[in-house]
Amino acid sequence: IYVVPYTTLPWLEEYTGGRRWDALGRMAVADESHRLARTRASWQVSSLGNRFLRTDGSVQTNALAKHAEDFRYWVNATGTLRGNDPTGVWGQYWYLDGGQALGNSHTAFEQRWFQMPSRYSEFAKPIPLPGAEDEIARRVQHLTVVARTEDYYTVDRPNFVRRTVTLPEKTAKAYREMRTRMATELLDDNGELQQVAALSAAAKSAKLRQMAAGFVYHRDEDLDPDLQLCVDLHDAKLDAVESILVETGEPLLLFYYHKAVVQKLRKRFK
């Protein structure tokens, strides 16, 4: 069994010198296959009748697409097939049948089943046409097996999953200083050294909670919110949130203590 990260696929293509990958094994298993959603590949026929592959995706998916037919068996595994982009299913199913079910190209897939947003709209997403999602599901039904958590888990009581987030070392050092000395020094976004101090045990607890969340106010919280200034420290918790979003693909409720957290969330997730 060869385990290859997606980021290493271009290297593998270069290492094998463009030779077929069937020597590596009979089966390819693409875990977290939503990573293949950006695949843009289509089989074409030249004027001389020769069949060739045209690729226009990322460097990683281009390298993989060239060898999609090298394997006798192909399996995609994902918990977020649809993801944030409803057109992302095409790239994943292309590896299974070369575009037979959903169309030979991603552009044709979009034009047939989606209303595409204006190119000037930064955050707008494609909207499925009426009945499109049902028809897409029917076309890929013979290629798909769905395992649903509700078929295996009871809902008698909540299922708590604790995620531990490791602070970057610089933040961890400042955190320890605040915990023991009730004061620390931090560089703000302008490169200026800011003194952060807590005048009571309750204030220290608040500062530590802020630092764990990824920022710290260096002016009193009882000021006008528009005048509050904070130092951005890290995005470790945002990375954890993004990981959960990718894994579940479900609506998510986030509870927070400070408005600065909302600003960080909106900056990351729009």
Side-chain angles (χ1 to χ4, degrees):
I1 298 176
Y2 295 92
V3 181
V4 183
Y6 288 104
T7 53
T8 314
L9 290 171
W11 168 85
L12 184 60
E13 166 73 0
E14 181 179 357
Y15 180 77
T16 55
R19 295 188 298 274
R20 290 175 57 87
W21 287 0
D22 50 4
L24 301 177
R26 293 180 301 164
M27 175 184 286
V29 179
D31 194 22
E32 302 289 354
S33 66
H34 56 270
R35 298 279 297 275
L36 304 178
R38 300 296 300 172
T39 296
R40 301 293 183 266
S42 62
W43 288 105
Q44 306 287 329
V45 178
S46 68
S47 57
L48 298 178
N50 298 320
R51 184 170 177 260
F52 68 95
L53 182 68
R54 176 179 294 168
T55 58
D56 189 27
S58 67
V59 175
Q60 299 172 15
T61 59
N62 287 348
L64 187 61
K66 295 175 183 178
H67 300 278
E69 293 190 343
D70 292 354
F71 299 94
R72 185 174 180 183
Y73 304 100
W74 191 290
V75 176
N76 287 338
T78 180
T80 53
L81 175 63
R82 192 176 185 275
N84 292 325
D85 181 2
T87 70
V89 298
W90 183 89
Q92 299 174 69
Y93 277 102
W94 182 87
Y95 290 88
L96 303 180
D97 66 356
Q100 294 182 38
L102 298 181
N104 185 51
S105 71
H106 185 264
T107 300
F109 173 71
E110 288 181 331
Q111 293 175 345
R112 178 168 183 174
W113 282 300
F114 293 88
Q115 177 182 341
M116 301 306 295
S118 168
R119 60 175 179 166
Y120 301 108
S121 180
E122 184 177 0
F123 302 120
K125 298 178 181 179
I127 300 175
L129 296 173
E133 292 185 301
D134 290 338
E135 184 177 355
I136 292 171
R138 286 195 297 270
R139 285 176 169 267
V140 299
Q141 185 175 6
H142 65 292
L143 300 170
T144 310
V145 176
V146 179
R148 301 181 302 173
T149 55
E150 54 263 37
D151 293 336
Y152 301 93
Y153 298 157
T154 64
V155 291
D156 296 337
R157 55 179 179 267
N159 180 34
F160 294 95
V161 179
R162 178 180 292 273
R163 294 292 185 96
T164 301
V165 176
T166 302
L167 294 180
E169 182 53 37
K170 287 185 178 180
T171 303
K173 179 181 178 181
Y175 185 99
R176 290 190 292 266
E177 288 181 352
M178 176 61 67
R179 185 176 58 191
T180 56
R181 298 172 46 212
M182 299 181 68
T184 188
E185 292 182 338
L186 296 166
L187 288 176
D188 62 16
D189 294 339
N190 298 322
E192 297 180 0
L193 195 63
Q194 300 292 341
Q195 301 286 337
V196 181
L199 303 180
S200 67
K204 181 183 77 170
S205 177
K207 295 297 183 188
L208 294 176
R209 190 181 300 123
Q210 294 164 20
M211 297 171 79
F215 77 100
V216 65
Y217 289 119
H218 60 80
R219 296 186 66 172
D220 292 337
E221 285 92 297
D222 58 356
L223 292 173
D224 186 313
D226 293 333
L227 298 177
Q228 289 180 0
L229 299 177
C230 64
V231 178
D232 192 35
L233 297 178
H234 64 84
D235 289 337
K237 277 198 171 182
L238 295 185
D239 294 340
V241 170
E242 185 169 12
S243 175
I244 293 171
L245 280 170
V246 170
E247 291 172 18
T248 62
E250 300 289 341
L252 189 67
L253 287 176
L254 283 172
F255 296 84
Y256 60 90
Y257 285 103
H258 303 97
K259 292 183 179 179
V261 173
V262 180
Q263 296 171 0
K264 289 172 68 70
L265 287 167
R266 287 176 175 164
K267 184 177 179 181
R268 169 72 73 92
F269 302 108
K270 313 303 180 187

